[in-house]
Amino acid sequence: MKQTFLTLGAYLLTSATVIAAEPVTIAPETGADLTAALNAAKEGVTAPGDIVINLAENGQYTVSGSLEVPAGLVINGNGAVVDATSLTSAMVLMSATPAVEAGENGFYTVGNVEFKNVNVTNLSQQLFYANKTKYYIPSLVTDGCQIQIAGGNKTVYDCNGGGVVGTLDIKNSTLNSTPANTGALYSSQSGNKATEVNADMIQTFSITNSTLYNIANGKNVCTHRQANQKWIAYVVKNNVILDCGKEGQFVKGLNQGQSGTNPSYDVNTNSFLWTKDGVVTVTPEVEPADGVVLNSVGEPTSTFPQAAEGVFTLDASSAQAEAQVGAPKWLVDYVAPPTNVVVTPADGSDIAAAVAEAVAAVERPGVITINLAENGKYTLSASIQTANGLIINGANSTIDASGIETPFILMSTEPTAELIADYYRVQEICISDVTVSGLKNSVFYDNNTKYCVVDFRIVNSTLALATTAVENEALVSFKAGGAKDVNVTNSTVYGGGEVAKYFMRYNNSARLDRYGFDKEKENMNFVYVNNTFYKAIKADGQWANYSALNGQKFVHFHIVGNIWFDSSSDIIRRLSGGRVGSSDNVFDLNTYFNNGENVGDNNDKGTILTTNPGFKAPEEGDFTLGASTEQAYYKTGAQKWLVEFVAPDITEAKAALLEEIEKAKALLGDDTESEPGKALAAAIDKAQEVYDSAVFNEPVVAATEELKKAEADYTTSGINGVGADFDNVPVEYFNLQGVRVDNPSNGVYIRRQGDRVSKVIL
């Protein structure tokens, strides 16, 4: 017999029975699969109705399939995380068989659907889908949540095909996607109007106190087909909205990209942002209708470097922090931005006192710039301390630092620099055009505070060390942080070489990507050009210690024209952490002397200068080059020590080399086909090249010794002839220097007949 179904509240009526839709409440333990838990709970209920899911505080859950609900739904997250990686359909799916009957308007009126204080990760499907069924849901709420979407083109709140939401209410929440989500935030069916539910209804789209990132990127934010209607209201307040919708059209995109005055707009105190060339900027919004004031918050000082990881903590000094916009979880107390300080100490004064006075005049000091008088003379009574960047423009002045036992530059333990990826990002530390004497401690110390110095430079300066102790065993000491780029150019660093083990030392966790930079797009650059280092660190020390640079392609080196003298060995190997990774590095014309001899560097693939630079009076701080040295010829080292090159007399050395070349040619004869013969011929050619181009004695003497060795190798390997019939091969005699003798007299000779070689006495 055919049954007739009617709706009465939460009851399902038939001609035979009255079945009440029964609410279902579950509280799964942390670690559970919510899909399995909900399905199990519904199995024991004849007519499931409203669903309540209470999650454990800060619990961890998974979903293996859609959470199918026939009526209202409330998820009380209590800070729990739900991993949606396994989903191949919507996380919340309205049942195709509602718990209630349709009303006269044709809609199934159910309770609200609410996501409260829950974090969803790796969601590649819809968060909510009405399943092409004409539900009327008074409010679809996302409150205090973070919904992390894994890209794709799915709509977040999907009523396409059926269903009407009275109010879409996103508040105190974060919706973010990496990569960009190219679906809509909300979509609906063209045939289902809110006024069909109730002629007096105002359908509201409300986004307040929330952070949205990469949602509906490049698309209209909503694809509800009833846009631009008088019964629609848009409420957008106190949000940070980054890279959502089309550029500059977020609010207009809520109205499906249409302009018009029919809807009502309540838009205020938002930060509409867009990323251009990797920099987050304020994007002027296109007004969706005349007279709508968008009121964007001012320029951001934070670029959200961890947006891809779903982290949107505001910079404390940003306009967004001042306005307190965005999801509450990312808010920080506003702190006024730092004020840059410019100090111009009088000639003859104490720099530390002048800096302290200038810093005391501002609430939060930013970058400190010290402009010294040209050729001035200064003293120090304390470390030059900064909580941010520091620039010393020396103007050829001198600073006597002998009055302090502490580091020359000391970073503050209370930074005012922006905190990015757990490091306080300082744009610049620069020492330029200055001579500093009497340095008893480190040149720079980060004070065991996590600073990332983007650009660390020592340029056109002389640092005279009188070290008795250094911080963390290093002259440039990053105990908690490190630098992105290092540039030491045309400078001299010298001392006793007895205290510091390292020139530069990093914290082992500091690295480009850990600073918050994209290692696929950014580089770490180490530039050392035309410097003189003399007993800067211990002779058995290590120039740098940073193993995290080992073999990294994002690390680039430009090391040219430097002189390292009694300042340790294996300079490049230590500087690169053991192995150079990128292929476009430049190494050339560097000098590596330690303990009185050239030690070279296996990681330097360029021309290495092997002569002693012949410093005039190094113990007195005079590193004027010897006039006839390679360093003078190639103009290497700090340029203040250059002299006019005087070519050395290499006549005697060249004569000895020429004599050895003639001996080798005689020894080789016409043997150019055997392998030993080819090797000796190559050695002769190489020696000839040195003879033709040599400027210095050292390479000529070295070439002579190399050729002698090649002759000895040739002799001992067998002086090869041709032919296998030795009885018919002529006999040849050579003296012990390898010179052929046509008419040997009494003595010791090398006898060759074909491939047979022997030593004989005649």
Side-chain angles (χ1 to χ4, degrees):
M1 182 178 71
K2 182 177 179 181
Q3 293 182 325
T4 302
F5 296 86
L6 301 173
T7 301
L8 180 59
Y11 291 89
L12 185 64
L13 305 182
T14 74
S15 59
T17 60
V18 177
I19 303 174
E22 182 179 341
V24 176
T25 299
I26 62 172
E29 294 183 354
T30 185
D33 172 13
L34 297 185
T35 310
L38 179 59
N39 290 343
K42 289 192 296 183
E43 284 181 2
V45 179
T46 303
D50 291 336
I51 306 293
V52 176
I53 302 175
N54 295 317
L55 303 182
E57 185 176 1
N58 299 320
Q60 302 288 323
Y61 297 91
T62 59
V63 279
S64 57
S66 295
L67 301 175
E68 187 172 345
V69 296
L73 168 69
V74 177
I75 299 178
N76 292 311
N78 294 309
V81 176
V82 179
D83 184 355
T85 303
S86 299
L87 283 179
T88 57
S89 57
M91 179 171 164
V92 172
L93 177 70
M94 299 305 294
S95 174
T97 55
V100 298
E101 281 289 307
E104 294 181 358
N105 56 15
F107 288 89
Y108 300 96
T109 299
V110 295
N112 296 336
V113 173
E114 301 183 24
F115 302 89
K116 294 182 176 180
N117 196 23
V118 63
N119 301 301
V120 179
T121 61
N122 300 313
L123 178 65
S124 61
Q125 305 295 318
Q126 302 101 316
L127 178 66
F128 168 89
Y129 181 37
N131 204 7
K132 298 183 180 181
T133 305
K134 293 183 67 173
Y135 282 95
Y136 169 60
I137 300 169
S139 290
L140 177 51
V141 179
T142 303
D143 184 4
C145 300
Q146 181 163 6
I147 311 300
Q148 294 180 292
I149 298 171
N153 61 357
K154 299 292 185 180
T155 297
V156 181
Y157 303 98
D158 191 350
C159 291
N160 201 24
V164 168
V165 172
T167 298
L168 178 66
D169 191 5
I170 301 169
K171 55 188 176 184
N172 309 313
S173 295
T174 303
L175 275 66
N176 59 283
S177 182
T178 300
N181 163 261
T182 56
L185 176 68
Y186 173 87
S187 65
S188 65
Q189 179 69 26
S190 59
N192 295 333
K193 298 180 180 180
T195 51
E196 293 176 352
V197 177
N198 184 329
D200 298 325
M201 176 178 288
I202 299 296
Q203 188 177 28
T204 302
F205 295 86
S206 177
I207 305 173
T208 57
N209 299 102
S210 293
T211 299
L212 274 63
Y213 169 65
N214 255 349
I215 303 298
N217 185 275
K219 303 293 180 65
N220 285 326
V221 179
C222 290
T223 57
H224 56 121
R225 310 302 167 79
Q226 306 83 24
N228 205 31
Q229 301 296 321
K230 290 185 177 181
W231 42 265
I232 293 180
Y234 298 109
V235 179
V236 185
K237 291 183 175 181
N238 305 319
N239 303 292
V240 175
I241 297 173
L242 171 59
D243 294 343
C244 294
K246 297 179 180 179
E247 182 180 357
Q249 296 188 36
F250 182 83
V251 177
K252 184 176 179 180
L254 286 175
N255 197 40
Q256 198 169 299
Q258 298 184 38
S259 298
T261 58
N262 285 331
S264 66
Y265 297 93
D266 186 2
V267 182
N268 198 0
T269 320
N270 297 291
S271 182
F272 297 110
L273 306 174
W274 198 263
T275 304
K276 294 182 179 179
D277 299 324
V279 178
V280 174
T281 58
V282 168
T283 300
E285 284 281 291
V286 177
E287 294 181 358
D290 290 341
V292 177
V293 180
L294 296 170
N295 293 332
S296 283
V297 173
E299 291 287 345
T301 57
S302 173
T303 58
F304 298 111
Q306 292 180 278
E309 290 80 43
V311 177
F312 301 92
T313 303
L314 296 176
D315 171 22
S317 299
S318 67
Q320 290 71 31
E322 184 176 19
Q324 291 290 284
V325 293
K329 70 182 296 181
W330 312 121
L331 296 182
V332 295
D333 291 336
Y334 175 69
V335 178
T339 302
N340 293 338
V341 176
V342 177
V343 186
T344 307
D347 189 358
S349 66
D350 172 14
I351 293 175
V355 170
E357 181 180 359
V359 166
V362 300
E363 182 179 350
R364 296 184 69 230
V367 177
I368 298 174
T369 300
I370 303 173
N371 295 321
L372 302 182
E374 188 172 359
N375 300 316
K377 297 184 182 301
Y378 296 89
T379 58
L380 272 184
S381 61
S383 297
I384 300 174
Q385 189 166 3
T386 179
N388 209 303
L390 175 67
I391 301 169
I392 300 175
N393 294 317
N396 201 36
S397 290
T398 60
I399 302 173
D400 181 358
S402 62
I404 63 171
E405 307 289 333
T406 52
F408 177 57
I409 297 173
L410 180 65
M411 300 304 293
S412 172
T413 55
E414 298 180 356
T416 62
E418 182 182 0
L419 182 63
I420 297 177
D422 204 32
Y423 287 86
Y424 293 98
R425 185 171 293 181
V426 169
Q427 292 301 318
E428 184 177 11
I429 297 290
C430 178
I431 303 170
S432 68
D433 302 296
V434 67
T435 295
V436 186
S437 63
L439 286 164
K440 297 179 182 178
N441 206 305
S442 300
V443 175
F444 169 93
Y445 178 42
D446 71 357
N447 218 350
N448 199 21
T449 305
K450 296 186 74 171
Y451 285 96
C452 164
V453 177
V454 176
D455 187 7
F456 184 94
R457 288 183 290 152
I458 301 174
V459 181
N460 301 329
S461 295
T462 298
L463 306 179
L465 309 175
T467 49
T468 56
V470 291
E471 305 294 337
N472 196 32
E473 301 183 284
L475 293 177
V476 178
S477 176
F478 287 97
K479 191 170 185 179
K484 175 185 177 291
D485 298 334
V486 175
N487 186 324
V488 185
T489 301
N490 195 29
S491 294
T492 304
V493 183
Y494 71 97
E498 299 174 351
V499 177
K501 181 178 180 180
Y502 305 98
F503 177 77
M504 176 171 285
R505 191 174 191 182
Y506 279 31
N507 183 280
N508 286 331
S509 66
R511 199 176 66 188
L512 182 71
D513 46 340
R514 297 168 188 163
Y515 296 146
F517 293 96
D518 185 343
K519 67 179 181 180
E520 301 302 323
K521 299 178 181 179
E522 299 276 357
N523 297 322
M524 294 181 76
N525 301 292
F526 291 83
V527 176
Y528 286 74
V529 176
N530 291 121
N531 300 294
T532 298
F533 301 107
Y534 178 83
K535 294 186 178 180
I537 65 173
K538 294 179 179 179
D540 61 350
Q542 302 173 17
W543 193 252
N545 75 316
Y546 197 29
S547 59
L549 302 184
N550 187 317
Q552 297 292 343
K553 292 183 178 180
F554 57 75
V555 180
H556 296 261
F557 297 94
H558 188 93
I559 316 293
V560 176
N562 303 284
I563 301 172
W564 277 278
F565 199 101
D566 285 351
S567 295
S568 80
S569 302
D570 293 334
I571 305 295
I572 307 304
R573 185 171 72 87
R574 292 296 185 181
L575 185 60
S576 63
R579 181 167 59 93
V580 175
S582 55
S583 59
D584 58 350
N585 300 293
V586 178
F587 300 99
D588 203 20
L589 303 177
N590 297 300
T591 301
Y592 305 96
F593 255 74
N594 206 20
N595 293 321
E597 62 179 4
N598 168 45
V599 294
D601 194 300
N602 291 332
N603 277 348
D604 185 337
K605 304 305 181 183
T607 298
I608 295 176
L609 306 188
T610 60
T611 63
N612 189 314
F615 296 136
K616 183 176 181 180
E619 298 302 328
E620 300 173 14
D622 186 345
F623 300 96
T624 302
L625 296 172
S628 299
T629 62
E630 287 181 292
Q631 291 76 14
Y633 179 76
Y634 289 106
K635 302 184 185 317
T636 67
Q639 302 297 280
K640 68 188 293 184
W641 310 117
L642 294 183
V643 294
E644 185 175 350
F645 174 69
V646 176
D649 183 2
I650 61 172
T651 304
E652 184 176 341
K654 288 189 69 175
L657 176 57
L658 182 59
E659 181 180 354
E660 204 62 41
I661 290 172
E662 295 303 322
K663 287 181 180 179
K665 288 180 177 179
L667 177 61
L668 179 64
D670 57 1
D671 178 19
T672 57
E673 299 300 324
S674 70
E675 290 304 317
K678 290 178 181 179
L680 181 56
I684 293 171
D685 290 342
K686 183 177 179 181
Q688 187 66 51
E689 289 177 6
V690 173
Y691 179 85
D692 293 339
S693 62
V695 178
F696 303 97
N697 280 293
E698 287 83 357
V700 177
V701 172
T704 303
E705 295 302 316
E706 287 180 13
L707 186 54
K708 286 181 178 179
K709 182 179 183 304
E711 294 172 49
D713 291 342
Y714 178 77
T715 301
T716 57
S717 66
I719 305 174
N720 298 320
V722 294
D725 185 359
F726 299 140
D727 293 336
N728 298 321
V729 175
V731 174
E732 296 176 290
Y733 291 93
F734 299 84
N735 63 23
L736 296 183
Q737 286 73 42
V739 178
R740 186 166 60 186
V741 180
D742 292 331
N743 298 300
S745 57
N746 294 340
V748 180
Y749 296 91
I750 296 172
R751 180 181 185 274
R752 178 174 75 175
Q753 185 177 22
D755 283 344
R756 294 177 180 175
V757 178
S758 60
K759 186 182 291 185
V760 297
I761 301 176
L762 299 180

